[in-house]
Amino acid sequence: MLVRDIIEKLDLSIVAGENALDNEITTVYVGDLLSWVMANAKQGSIWITIQSHVNIVAVASLLNLSCIIVAEGAHVDEEAIEKANNENIPIFSTDKDTYNLIKELIKIGIE
Amino acid sequence: MKLSFTVDGDEFLLAGEASSQVKKVLKQLGVSSAIIRKIAIAMYEAEINMVLHANGGSIDVDITPEKIYILFQDEGPGIKDIELAMQEGYSTASDEIRELGFGAGMGLPNMKRYSDDLKISSELGKGTKVEITVYLNREGD
Ligand SMILES: Nc1ncnc2c1ncn2[C@@H]1O[C@H](COP(=O)(O)OP(=O)(O)OP(=O)(O)O)[C@@H](O)[C@H]1O
Ligand SMILES: [Mg+2]
């Protein structure tokens, strides 16, 4: 499945990285502690987090993650948006919490 | 090939820039993505530590056909007990930094796990030197 395929299904708002919506999704990783994410998130993962500052883009880019979903209505920093546009990392925002996001992702076939 | 970077301690926002540059170079050199991943993780952790704990420093990278060697040098406060600092979960990060998702005390353990050789030397009040080596023709974990 491609990143663009989840946008409508999960009703996500696109915040940045519109040029990279064809990234292939492999799996999902959830975490707010950056060095845990660094150690464990797999290439192509959707990363769900409530962190919303510019360093999430560095982490996603270094690990080749497919996109970032900033959950629970956390406001994404301007610097993060700018960097994500430069590095082609899609960032989405949503008011949903992680539990509900995961339920929906499983429903549409992402394990 | 040799590359050098200066890491600005005040530019929290730019942290990861050197790692990202090195990743691009390695990709151009045709290094496998499994090995690039190891290097990116180890290098990012060392780079961010320099920003968060030592107010910046310098990074020197030496890439040869068989390995990449990365030297991080800072003039920060130094690490009192390196063995303790290496333990998972040990962190002196402030609450402010923790709120941003740093300070899990996993950076040094990640460096150890993802590098083939890690050397740390430090002197209190003088600074810290971190040396990371990753072999380019062994498959990653
Ligand atoms: N370059 C450095 N200069 C001074 N102290 C350092 C340096 N690097 C690490 N330390 C010390 O070692 C501790 C452990 O580092 P480590 O990277 O494992 O965890 P952290 O940076 O606190 O949290 P995390 O990396 O999980 O975000 C730090 O909290 C800090 O006290
Ligand atoms: Mg650290």
Side-chain angles (χ1 to χ4, degrees):
Chain A
M1 197 175 296
L2 303 180
V3 167
R4 68 167 72 253
D5 299 327
I6 66 168
I7 303 173
E8 217 171 292
K9 288 175 178 147
L10 271 72
D11 191 21
L12 303 171
S13 315
I14 306 181
V15 175
E18 257 172 287
N19 290 332
L21 299 180
D22 288 325
N23 285 349
E24 183 84 42
I25 296 170
T26 53
T27 179
V28 184
Y29 189 83
V30 179
D32 304 319
L33 294 173
L34 301 189
S35 51
W36 279 94
V37 179
M38 215 53 205
N40 300 311
K42 305 220 162 49
Q43 170 164 343
S45 296
I46 297 173
W47 175 22
I48 304 176
T49 183
I50 53 167
Q51 297 296 346
S52 52
H53 53 86
V54 65
N55 292 80
I56 62 175
V57 181
V59 170
S61 165
L62 287 168
L63 295 176
N64 298 327
L65 305 184
S66 57
C67 65
I68 305 171
I69 302 179
V70 176
E72 304 206 36
H75 180 79
V76 182
D77 291 359
E78 210 42 58
E79 293 93 345
I81 294 172
E82 199 177 307
K83 184 159 175 153
N85 283 330
N86 289 334
E87 307 245 335
N88 291 317
I89 302 290
I91 302 182
F92 304 112
S93 76
T94 176
D95 288 335
K96 291 172 191 167
D97 63 22
T98 302
Y99 175 66
N100 282 298
L101 284 169
I102 300 277
K103 277 206 305 196
E104 291 178 21
L105 285 166
I106 291 173
K107 219 181 273 172
I108 64 172
I110 294 170
E111 301 281 302
Chain B
M1 177 193 280
K2 289 191 189 340
L3 303 164
S4 292
F5 304 91
T6 306
V7 178
D8 190 336
D10 300 321
E11 286 290 349
F12 172 72
L13 300 177
L14 287 179
E17 210 54 40
S19 308
S20 148
Q21 297 282 331
V22 168
K23 186 187 164 196
K24 279 181 196 134
V25 169
L26 293 170
K27 206 168 164 191
Q28 276 162 11
L29 292 173
V31 176
S32 80
S33 60
I35 287 179
I36 292 181
R37 177 184 157 85
K38 287 174 60 172
I39 296 163
I41 295 172
M43 191 174 171
Y44 177 75
E45 293 289 5
E47 187 180 349
I48 203 90
N49 274 0
M50 245 165 49
V51 176
L52 292 182
H53 307 300
N55 198 36
S58 66
I59 305 179
D60 295 287
V61 183
D62 191 0
I63 304 170
T64 62
E66 83 265 19
K67 67 181 184 193
I68 179 167
Y69 167 82
I70 313 166
L71 169 65
F72 302 81
Q73 289 174 288
D74 68 59
E75 296 178 358
I79 304 174
K80 189 149 94 193
D81 184 341
I82 293 174
E83 216 179 301
L84 181 65
M86 288 297 302
Q87 288 181 14
E88 290 187 7
Y90 177 84
S91 175
T92 59
S94 65
D95 287 347
E96 208 181 334
I97 287 174
R98 284 172 201 260
E99 269 173 32
L100 297 173
F102 298 102
M106 289 301 292
L108 290 169
N110 279 352
M111 282 181 229
K112 175 110 194 122
R113 176 169 162 199
Y114 288 104
S115 60
D116 292 319
D117 187 46
L118 172 69
K119 279 201 200 79
I120 302 175
S121 52
S122 188
E123 207 178 319
L124 272 187
K126 284 253 168 77
T128 300
K129 188 165 139 185
V130 175
E131 295 164 271
I132 290 172
T133 304
V134 175
Y135 294 96
L136 299 179
N137 32 32
R138 292 184 197 167
E139 261 325 296
D141 59 330

